[in-house]
Amino acid sequence: MKYENDAPGADAAAPPAPESLGAPQAKPAAARLGAIDAARGIAIIVVVFTHVNRGLAGAGILDGDSEAYQWMDRFFATWCMLLFPFLTGLFMRRSRERHGFWGFVRLRVVQWGYLYLLWFFLQSGVKLVVGDAANTTVSPIDLLQVWKVEGQLWFMPWMMIAEFFGALIMPWLSTRRTVITLVVTGVLSVFTWGIASSYVGLHGLALYVFYMAGTVTDPKKLAAWLDRFGSGFLWSVGLVSVAIGGALTRLPLSPPTEGRPPAPVELLPLSIFTALLCAAGMMLVCTALSRTVLSKPLSVVGSRTLEIYLAHILAGAGARIVLVRLGVESPAVFMIVGTVAGVVLPLFARWALEKLHFPWFFEMPRLRRK
C-alpha cells in the first residue's frame, strides 16, 4: 500500500542539520541545546521507522490494510513532520542576520536546489537499475520530470520556499509581521491540511506555519523555559499527551502531509489538535530524554538529520532487498534491521565521504567549509 509522495511509500518533512533537518551540515554550535538535539534525533528515527514500514507494506511483508498498521502509520505521520519545520525555523533568524538576504539564499536556498536535483537523479536512477526489486518502478522519462517529487525528496523544494520567504519577510522584526505571517500561513495550513501533491512546491503546504512559528521563537528562551520543569513533570505530561494523541489517531484523522483521502471536514479541527498535542508531548519527552544517558547518541543523530533524511530510503530499501535474498521472513527483523540501516548507513556514508574528501552528496561543492 503506497501513498503519493511518500518514499517507498512515504516521505518529511521533513521533513529535517545542525540547525534543523534543514540546515546544510555545519559544525555544531559551541552551546548545543539538548532538548532540540534530542527532538531532532527522535523525529528522524521515527521518520526512518515509518518509511521502512511503508516499504515493507509496499513489498507485501507487512499487511498495509490491517487496522494495527493503519493506526501506527497514522499516529507517527501525525506529528513527526511537524517538528522538523519548527526546529528548522528556530535557527533561521541567526543565520539570516549573519549572512544577509542574498548570502543566506546562496548558503541555504541554492544548496537545497542542488541537493534536490542530485538526489532526485540518484534515487530515481537506482530505482531504474534495480527494476522490480524496488516497490515503485521508474522509466527513463521519469528521470526528466524533475517537477514531479520523488518520494521523501519533496522536503527539499519545500525548504527552498520556506527559507526564501522566511529570509525575505523576516517575521521576527515586529509584532505586526509576526501576527500577519502566522495568520496567513495558519489559514493556508487549515485549508491544505491532509492534502498531498506530486508536484514540487505544492506538497506540505500545511507545514509552513510551523516553520514560521520557529523563526519567531528564540531557541535559547525555549530551552530555558523547558529547563524550568522537572524530569518527572516532563515525562508524565509528555507521555500522557502522546497517549491521548495515540488514542485519538484511532479515528480516521488526517496527518498534515499525507496522500491518503483527507478526513471528513468535521474531523479537521480534531486532526490539527491531535497533531499539535502529539508534537508538544514529544517535545517534552525529548527534553526529559536529553537529561539521560541517551542525550549523546540522540545528539549525534540529531546533528546529522540531513544525511539520514536524504539517504535513509536507499539504505532501508537496500537492507530489505538483502534480507529478502537471505530468506528472512520475520517482519520484526525487517523493521529493526531496516530502521537501524536507515539511520546508521547514512552516517557511515557521510564519514566515509569526508575521509575521501568528497562530501558532495550531502553539500554543494562550492559551499563547503574548510
Side-chain angles (χ1 to χ4, degrees):
M1 147 173 230
K2 298 187 257 308
Y3 301 126
E4 187 177 30
N5 278 331
D6 287 324
D11 191 289
E19 301 172 356
S20 69
L21 165 63
Q25 297 293 347
K27 297 291 184 183
R32 301 300 301 172
L33 302 177
I36 296 173
D37 282 337
R40 283 199 297 262
I42 290 293
I44 194 63
I45 291 171
V46 169
V47 166
V48 174
F49 177 75
T50 300
H51 296 167
V52 166
N53 286 347
R54 290 179 177 180
L56 296 177
I61 297 170
L62 291 179
D63 181 4
D65 294 321
S66 70
E67 183 177 343
Y69 173 87
Q70 288 289 319
W71 169 78
M72 180 173 63
D73 185 75
R74 184 163 54 241
F75 168 67
F76 287 128
T78 290
W79 62 268
C80 68
M81 284 309 294
L82 261 65
L83 286 179
F84 282 129
F86 177 73
L87 297 172
T88 300
L90 285 176
F91 296 91
M92 186 269 186
R93 175 179 179 177
R94 183 180 66 184
S95 185
R96 167 66 172 84
E97 292 176 345
R98 179 187 304 165
H99 300 289
F101 176 72
W102 289 113
F104 180 86
V105 168
R106 289 193 298 270
L107 178 67
R108 300 283 288 272
V109 178
V110 174
Q111 173 128 304
W112 285 122
Y114 164 80
L115 290 174
Y116 172 71
L117 291 175
L118 173 65
W119 281 86
F120 176 89
F121 291 122
L122 178 62
Q123 193 161 293
S124 299
V126 169
K127 288 184 177 182
L128 183 64
V129 170
V130 302
D132 292 340
N135 285 349
T136 57
T137 58
V138 299
S139 66
I141 194 65
D142 292 327
L143 294 176
L144 304 177
Q145 297 178 327
V146 295
W147 58 88
K148 288 189 176 181
V149 177
E150 161 59 27
Q152 85 285 9
L153 299 179
W154 66 266
F155 199 71
M156 307 299 116
W158 187 96
M159 281 301 307
M160 290 179 67
I161 296 170
E163 296 208 315
F164 178 85
F165 283 103
L168 182 67
I169 298 168
M170 293 188 293
W172 59 85
L173 286 182
S174 68
T175 301
R176 181 180 180 183
R177 289 196 187 201
T178 297
V179 172
I180 292 176
T181 301
L182 293 182
V183 167
V184 171
T185 54
V187 170
L188 176 66
S189 180
V190 170
F191 280 94
T192 60
W193 192 275
I195 297 176
S197 174
S198 59
Y199 294 99
V200 167
L202 296 180
H203 188 73
L205 296 178
L207 297 178
Y208 285 115
V209 66
F210 302 102
Y211 175 82
M212 294 302 176
T215 68
V216 300
T217 302
D218 187 321
K220 292 183 179 179
K221 290 182 178 179
L222 173 63
W225 180 77
L226 290 170
D227 283 341
R228 294 170 57 188
F229 301 106
S231 295
F233 174 86
L234 294 170
W235 280 114
S236 57
V237 175
L239 290 176
V240 168
S241 299
V242 173
I244 293 173
L248 290 174
T249 51
R250 295 189 68 86
L251 298 171
L253 305 181
S254 286
T257 62
E258 291 305 294
R260 68 184 81 218
V265 174
E266 60 269 20
L267 289 180
L268 178 60
L270 187 58
S271 295
I272 296 174
F273 169 78
T274 302
L276 293 173
L277 181 66
C278 288
M282 285 305 303
M283 195 68 207
L284 297 182
V285 170
C286 290
T287 303
L289 284 171
S290 70
R291 302 174 184 177
T292 70
V293 294
L294 294 177
S295 175
K296 187 171 182 179
L298 286 176
S299 179
V300 171
V301 173
S303 67
R304 290 299 185 184
T305 50
L306 177 60
E307 287 93 337
I308 296 171
Y309 189 85
L310 287 171
H312 76 274
I313 294 300
L314 292 181
R320 184 186 71 242
I321 292 171
V322 170
L323 290 175
V324 169
R325 297 282 176 86
L326 292 175
V328 175
E329 297 181 355
S330 170
V333 173
F334 277 98
M335 293 165 68
I336 294 171
V337 174
T339 301
V340 172
V343 173
V344 173
L345 291 183
L347 297 180
F348 175 79
R350 175 72 190 208
W351 173 83
L353 290 171
E354 286 284 359
K355 292 294 184 181
L356 295 172
H357 304 289
F358 191 84
W360 301 327
F361 281 105
F362 301 111
E363 61 180 83
M364 196 169 178
R366 67 185 182 89
L367 294 180
R368 190 187 178 196
R369 295 172 177 82
K370 295 182 179 179

